[in-house]
Amino acid sequence: MLKTHNCGELRPAQAGEEVTLAGWVNRRRDHGGLVFLDLRDRSGLVQVVANPKTAPEAHATAQQVRSEYVVQVKGLVRSRPEGLENPDIPTGEIEVVAQELVVLNPAKTPPFYIYDDSPVDEAVRLRYRYLDLRRPRMQRNMMLRHRVVTAIRSFLDARGFIEIETPILFKTTPEGARDYLVPSRLHPGEFYALPQSPQQLKQLLMVAGYERYFQIARCFRDEDQRGDRQPEFTQLDLEMSFVEREDVMTLTEELMIHLVEDVADRTLLQNPFPRLTYQEAMSKYGTDRPDLRFGMTLIDVSDLVAGCGFRVFRDTVAGGGVVKGIRVPSCAAYSRRETDELIAMARGEGAGGLAWLSVGQDGAIRSSFAKFLADEDITALVGRMAGEAGDLLLFVADKASVTNRTLGALRLVLGERLGLRGGEALACCWVIDFPLFEWDEERQRWDPSHHQFTSPRVEDLPLLDTDPGAARGQQYDLVCNGAAPAGGSIRIHRRDVQEKIFDLIGLDRDVAQERFGHLLRAFEYGTPPHGGIAPGIDRLVMLLAGEPNIREVIAFPKTQQAADLMAGAPSPVEPEQLEELHIRIVEET
Ligand code: ASP
């Protein structure tokens, strides 16, 4: 080794020892006489001092080095003189007095500071990702990610899971996105599809009798890069045989608690995780990914306003819609402009409008609609909402789906504004009993809410023939701070049920046979009941690290346009390569 110790691990116990260190010059300070180098390696920083009197050559070299030079230092560890300790770094009580200093490799001036996390344009960070990865924030994130993955492996190993790799070059395994295709050179005109998840393969491993499988699996989905997505991402893919929904959820919950509390040293607001049905989540929070870090739940007031003097409320209830509200604390003094902004937001979600009522500090009511209401109706409404002095009450009257969506969105925006969505603690819950299908109006067909391999709840099986929209699936989503880092389900393990689902989602028998024949065939050879889940590692680490997006926890992420700015991918290829692949590029006109 070119070094005997790691920079960040030296302590007063090593004082008097001769050490050899190697690393990057984090910063250099030339104090006329002495030159100080902060030397950095993955373990941290240590101060090196070069004295022209005791080591003139090392001092001369130290004068020449610059930030990010790679150097090797031989020197003596000594306690820093009284009063010169640096309590901000773990090695702050000692320093290394250089005897020899060798430049292993010089460095150009980097395009941004490495030694701190001052903001840098993301495109520049991605272009020079190898430098960005040297910075403290990325080092912390990469190390946390490693610890998370290591902890996952040992947790599952201790519970009898085995890790099995599945192919990347495969056949379509759809999760609702477009496939990435790879042309075959040996089979002209034919393509592999990169797996959107190892879903079918893990189910086949259950048919194969492995009972408990997991994999840290790479998945590929060619989606429009809306929001915080990556074309390739990593998930902890796992599957278990002879289990019910409860078994998979319990195991996943134990793993999550371990990762949050023991590995990331964060706290959980709720333990055990609350369980909400899809219906409850939609009706109380307006979304199937409720952020449980704060309350502000949606409260139904339809019964109170069904006969009131405000026509919008009355007509909505009469027409089968609902009137619901949220109570926003400390916002009673909102100005006209601020309420108008909320109204515009509500319209943006598809609601016809937003009715508001504020309770002033002195109890005085201001409202967009109270003038139409009798005093006792106002009192009843404020009472139902548990409104107190200082509160702003917001109401939407519409179809249930629109009302929920609108108030759910306002709840998040206002929760953010009120600072209720920050903090160290994580709020996890399970959402269960999703509808098995969603109706696709445009294509006039049922779409699976999870994926087509999710089993209906056994008691809802007959509904597949009579009322598919009412059938619930054995799906479970793990929700954390308003994001869904994991989803899974108990699977269909019978060929007839699987074929029925293919029929309902409009997958032609021949197409189903062509795409999934291997799975249907396998189901005829003794398939155990099975189920699983797949927590997204990127999203999980992002939550644990408290980062705002998944690119911060991926070593080499792509941009929103699915490009790698560092290597320049995707890129054109040689004509011969295309020829070998039997591919001709058609220029768009
Ligand atoms: N394959 C699913 C997904 O990637 C997860 C699962 O059902 O286990 O979302």
Side-chain angles (χ1 to χ4, degrees):
M1 284 293 289
L2 300 185
K3 57 184 199 175
T4 56
H5 292 74
N6 293 321
C7 297
E9 287 163 10
L10 294 176
R11 295 289 180 276
Q14 275 92 42
E17 269 181 47
E18 196 179 89
V19 297
T20 304
L21 305 175
W24 290 259
V25 175
N26 200 51
R27 294 225 251 182
R28 186 184 63 108
R29 290 182 306 282
D30 196 333
H31 284 198
L34 302 176
V35 175
F36 292 94
L37 304 179
D38 284 340
L39 192 66
R40 185 190 74 231
D41 62 16
R42 204 183 74 191
S43 65
L45 293 175
V46 69
Q47 174 167 292
V48 173
V49 46
N51 186 328
K53 297 209 187 82
T54 53
E57 279 183 35
H59 178 264
T61 311
Q63 280 186 312
Q64 280 156 24
V65 302
R66 294 288 176 266
S67 287
E68 300 312 305
Y69 272 43
V70 180
V71 300
Q72 185 185 39
V73 181
K74 197 162 152 197
L76 207 61
V77 182
R78 75 164 180 212
S79 295
R80 291 202 201 180
E82 275 283 318
L84 294 180
E85 299 92 346
N86 177 359
D88 295 337
I89 55 171
T91 60
E93 286 176 77
I94 52 101
E95 61 190 0
V96 175
V97 182
Q99 293 158 339
E100 290 168 29
L101 178 64
V102 181
V103 173
L104 298 175
N105 197 234
K108 284 169 67 171
T109 306
F112 44 79
Y113 291 124
I114 305 295
Y115 56 77
D116 68 15
D117 284 321
S118 50
V120 177
D121 177 59
E122 196 180 19
V124 180
R125 290 178 58 201
L126 292 179
R127 185 128 186 247
Y128 294 94
R129 190 59 156 184
Y130 42 88
L131 297 181
D132 189 37
L133 284 165
R134 283 185 194 169
R135 304 177 89 203
R137 173 187 189 176
M138 293 307 294
Q139 295 248 326
R140 265 193 317 273
N141 290 349
M142 288 302 113
M143 289 183 205
L144 174 63
R145 186 174 177 129
H146 164 74
R147 290 205 311 278
V148 166
V149 172
T150 308
I152 289 174
R153 286 203 160 98
S154 43
F155 178 95
L156 292 175
D157 177 59
R159 283 160 184 78
F161 283 79
I162 62 168
E163 187 168 3
I164 302 180
E165 287 170 81
T166 54
I168 296 294
L169 294 177
F170 194 58
K171 217 173 146 114
T172 182
T173 298
E175 295 278 357
R178 206 176 284 118
D179 285 327
Y180 275 101
L181 298 175
V182 179
S184 161
R185 178 178 59 81
L186 295 176
H187 304 272
E190 297 185 358
F191 295 81
Y192 302 97
L194 305 186
Q196 292 183 32
S197 81
Q199 184 63 36
Q200 292 173 59
L201 292 152
K202 67 173 166 176
Q203 292 193 240
L204 290 167
L205 287 170
M206 295 304 106
V207 180
Y210 286 93
E211 295 195 40
R212 287 177 168 224
Y213 139 95
F214 82 99
Q215 177 179 199
I216 307 293
R218 195 61 67 85
C219 305
F220 305 85
R221 301 184 189 176
D222 189 1
E223 298 178 281
D224 291 328
Q225 300 301 303
R226 282 180 290 113
D228 189 17
R229 297 198 175 148
Q230 285 283 309
E232 55 180 304
F233 60 92
T234 310
Q235 68 188 18
L236 160 62
D237 194 49
L238 72 83
E239 198 74 8
M240 309 164 77
S241 291
F242 309 115
V243 288
E244 292 174 314
R245 167 171 96 174
E246 200 53 41
D247 303 302
V248 184
M249 288 164 65
T250 305
L251 176 106
T252 310
E253 187 165 327
E254 280 170 15
L255 172 60
M256 276 299 291
I257 293 169
H258 173 53
L259 295 178
V260 171
E261 293 183 344
D262 307 331
V263 180
D265 207 12
R266 305 267 312 251
T267 43
L268 282 162
L269 280 175
Q270 293 98 346
N271 180 355
F273 302 168
R275 278 149 203 227
L276 285 82
T277 64
Y278 173 85
Q279 283 302 344
E280 276 170 325
M282 295 308 284
S283 127
K284 278 177 81 176
Y285 301 94
T287 169
D288 56 4
R289 301 175 167 195
D291 187 342
L292 296 193
R293 281 173 298 182
F294 66 108
M296 224 196 268
T297 49
L298 282 53
I299 298 169
D300 198 330
V301 296
S302 309
D303 58 315
L304 286 184
V305 299
C308 81
F310 184 34
R311 220 191 60 205
V312 177
F313 284 178
R314 218 175 45 225
D315 289 356
T316 301
V317 180
V322 294
V323 182
K324 290 171 104 170
I326 52 172
R327 180 179 82 88
V328 191
S330 346
C331 291
Y334 259 25
S335 66
R336 177 72 190 267
R337 191 180 52 76
E338 285 167 309
T339 36
D340 281 352
E341 195 198 344
L342 296 179
I343 294 169
M345 261 181 226
R347 295 219 167 100
E349 294 294 331
L354 181 70
W356 58 270
L357 184 154
S358 70
V359 189
Q361 288 304 343
D362 53 0
I365 304 270
R366 287 190 305 135
S367 169
S368 63
F369 63 93
K371 57 175 177 275
F372 302 112
L373 262 55
D375 282 352
E376 60 269 25
D377 287 344
I378 298 178
T379 310
L381 196 56
V382 175
R384 170 75 59 85
M385 299 298 295
E388 289 173 11
D391 288 349
L392 175 66
L393 310 179
L394 301 174
F395 298 93
V396 172
D398 218 307
K399 277 198 304 199
S401 58
V402 176
T403 302
N404 287 340
R405 183 173 67 235
T406 307
L407 286 174
L410 286 172
R411 173 181 176 270
L412 289 184
V413 169
L414 290 160
E416 186 83 50
R417 269 194 211 165
L418 291 171
L420 304 172
R421 303 192 67 197
E424 258 301 289
L426 298 171
C428 295
C429 67
W430 289 103
V431 178
I432 53 176
D433 288 349
F434 283 77
L436 189 60
F437 301 111
E438 287 157 9
W439 180 247
D440 182 340
E441 193 57 50
E442 203 177 305
R443 282 181 274 197
Q444 290 289 305
R445 61 164 206 219
W446 294 107
D447 276 342
S449 340
H450 185 46
H451 49 55
Q452 60 266 58
F453 308 114
T454 293
S455 170
R457 293 199 55 164
V458 181
E459 59 272 40
D460 291 356
L461 267 172
L463 289 171
L464 295 183
D465 293 317
T466 54
D467 185 5
R472 290 162 302 169
Q474 297 202 53
Q475 175 190 349
Y476 28 83
D477 273 9
L478 176 70
V479 175
C480 191
N481 289 2
S489 61
I490 297 298
R491 325 296 185 188
I492 297 164
H493 66 280
R494 277 169 37 192
R495 181 177 178 133
D496 57 335
V497 180
Q498 188 66 70
E499 281 180 336
K500 174 156 258 155
I501 299 291
F502 286 155
D503 285 348
L504 278 165
I505 63 174
L507 200 64
D508 185 84
R509 284 266 159 135
D510 292 339
V511 178
Q513 187 56 38
E514 201 279 317
R515 279 194 208 154
F516 306 114
H518 53 286
L519 195 69
L520 294 173
R521 206 173 310 128
F523 282 175
E524 293 177 323
Y525 286 93
T527 302
H530 61 285
I533 191 164
I537 303 266
D538 311 293
R539 209 153 293 278
L540 199 59
V541 178
M542 173 192 107
L543 284 165
L544 295 175
E547 287 289 2
N549 70 63
I550 59 173
R551 296 184 297 284
E552 300 299 344
V553 298
I554 299 175
F556 298 103
K558 297 195 173 50
T559 63
Q560 297 269 306
Q561 270 67 48
D564 181 315
L565 297 182
M566 181 183 66
S571 58
V573 295
E574 297 301 325
E576 302 82 71
Q577 290 177 289
L578 288 177
E579 196 133 312
E580 274 178 346
L581 294 170
H582 326 282
I583 283 186
R584 191 162 301 133
I585 304 290
V586 180
E587 298 285 346
E588 276 191 49
T589 48

